[in-house]
Amino acid sequence: MTRRDAIRPGEVAVDLPPATDAGLVFIGRIRTPWTDRLACPRQGRRDGPVCRIALFDTWAGGLDGLDAFDAVEVLYWLDRSRRDLLRQSPKRDGTTRGTFALRSPVRPNPIGTAVATLVGIEGGTVLVRGLDCLDGTPLIDLKPDRCSFTPVDGVPD
Amino acid sequence: MTRRDAIRPGEVAVDLPPATDAGLVFIGRIRTPWTDRLACPRQGRRDGPVCRIALFDTWAGGLDGLDAFDAVEVLYWLDRSRRDLLRQSPKRDGTTRGTFALRSPVRPNPIGTAVATLVGIEGGTVLVRGLDCLDGTPLIDLKPDRCSFTPVDGVPD
């Protein structure tokens, strides 16, 4: 998503091990208004624009029951991010912090997480507010937000 | 993590596509008191026992600056979960809901997320309260919790 090539002064890259410990399957695609990373908000806003999370046909049936919740946790794959930075310089001034002290998209496993407000479900598409990712971002998971997770009948899942 | 083999009445499995859309690299290992899934809590509790998130040596340097935050978001790989269920029956009574309406570990990309209280950092090991995963669970990401994410100097990352 950002700086595929450039390293800023003070940043540190590691020799990334092969990313073969586990494999992901993309389950859908996220449609947002943002086609350029410079236009993306830094964090999603719960009053932001409605975005469409379109599940692939195989997975659409897995949405049944999601409409009972107000908020959903969305996991997506930041497919344009480099993955090898150990220290980063968000301010581009040579001062750096460890990757795990930042929510930067640049990380060994570039998974973005958001808690979004559920607006509606139309077939295999989930409408939400509160995302901050680029248009076309691959979806990897969707689940009721842990905070809003009140089992319907008192039996925990 | 659960039910690798059995399908309960009413549950629906899909023909899982190859999980090769993206690859993960495990960056550490989580040590918890729970060695059997039946002993795992359903959700982590912020007053639960201290757990140790041990980063592999390659990544330990990425923790610098994380101690400024009170809460961390932890992403981990539920390596004992089956991945092909579209509908699940958490109550084992034949009534089912879609996988994405549950926080079950059984999902196409079995990634667990937790927001944990940061207790301390000892070298490459992060001590937290609030996890619910099995001992030995592979770590895939660690970042400041979005709610507690107040940039140190007002400049967003």
Side-chain angles (χ1 to χ4, degrees):
Chain A
M1 182 166 292
T2 176
R3 297 175 289 151
R4 181 178 290 278
D5 306 305
I7 286 198
R8 298 170 184 161
E11 292 190 330
V12 175
V14 298
D15 193 12
L16 188 76
T20 53
D21 290 325
L24 297 177
V25 52
F26 295 159
I27 61 169
R29 194 68 66 175
I30 303 176
R31 313 310 320 202
T32 75
W34 306 294
T35 54
D36 182 298
R37 76 172 182 85
L38 296 177
C40 277
R42 289 290 187 173
Q43 288 280 326
R45 294 171 55 108
R46 300 290 279 265
D47 61 353
V50 172
C51 300
R52 301 175 66 85
I53 302 173
L55 272 79
F56 298 143
D57 289 346
T58 302
W59 301 108
L63 295 177
D64 184 47
L66 186 63
D67 57 354
F69 299 92
D70 297 323
V72 294
E73 187 174 359
V74 187
L75 273 63
Y76 42 92
W77 186 250
L78 301 159
D79 56 345
R80 278 161 273 191
S81 292
R82 62 182 295 162
R83 304 175 62 170
D84 61 343
L85 290 194
L86 189 64
R87 299 186 64 87
Q88 300 178 44
S89 178
K91 293 188 292 175
R92 304 167 187 251
D93 65 355
T95 65
T96 62
R97 275 183 279 171
T99 288
F100 305 118
L102 299 167
R103 289 185 68 88
S104 157
V106 175
R107 46 208 321 117
N109 295 301
I111 297 171
T113 70
V115 175
T117 301
L118 182 61
V119 174
I121 299 178
E122 298 175 355
T125 298
V126 181
L127 281 61
V128 299
R129 295 183 192 272
L131 295 183
D132 60 4
C133 59
L134 279 169
D135 186 48
T137 296
L139 177 70
I140 52 181
D141 203 5
L142 202 57
K143 40 194 160 194
D145 178 42
R146 71 179 70 79
C147 303
S148 67
F149 193 54
T150 306
V152 174
D153 51 7
V155 177
D157 303 297
Chain B
M1 180 164 295
T2 179
R3 295 174 291 150
R4 180 177 291 277
D5 306 304
I7 286 197
R8 298 170 183 162
E11 292 190 329
V12 175
V14 299
D15 193 10
L16 188 76
T20 54
D21 290 326
L24 297 178
V25 53
F26 295 159
I27 61 169
R29 194 69 66 174
I30 302 176
R31 313 310 320 203
T32 75
W34 306 294
T35 54
D36 182 297
R37 75 173 182 84
L38 295 177
C40 277
R42 288 292 186 174
Q43 288 279 325
R45 294 172 54 109
R46 299 292 278 265
D47 60 353
V50 172
C51 300
R52 301 175 65 88
I53 302 173
L55 273 79
F56 298 144
D57 289 347
T58 302
W59 301 108
L63 295 176
D64 184 48
L66 185 63
D67 57 354
F69 299 93
D70 296 323
V72 295
E73 188 174 358
V74 187
L75 274 63
Y76 42 92
W77 187 250
L78 300 159
D79 56 345
R80 278 161 273 191
S81 293
R82 63 182 294 163
R83 303 176 60 170
D84 61 343
L85 290 194
L86 189 64
R87 299 186 65 87
Q88 299 178 46
S89 178
K91 292 188 291 173
R92 304 165 186 252
D93 65 355
T95 65
T96 62
R97 275 183 278 170
T99 289
F100 305 118
L102 299 168
R103 289 186 67 88
S104 157
V106 174
R107 44 208 322 116
N109 295 301
I111 296 170
T113 69
V115 174
T117 300
L118 182 60
V119 174
I121 300 178
E122 298 176 354
T125 298
V126 181
L127 280 61
V128 300
R129 294 183 192 272
L131 296 182
D132 60 3
C133 59
L134 278 170
D135 186 48
T137 296
L139 177 71
I140 53 181
D141 202 6
L142 202 57
K143 39 193 161 195
D145 178 43
R146 71 178 70 77
C147 303
S148 67
F149 194 54
T150 308
V152 175
D153 50 10
V155 178
D157 303 294

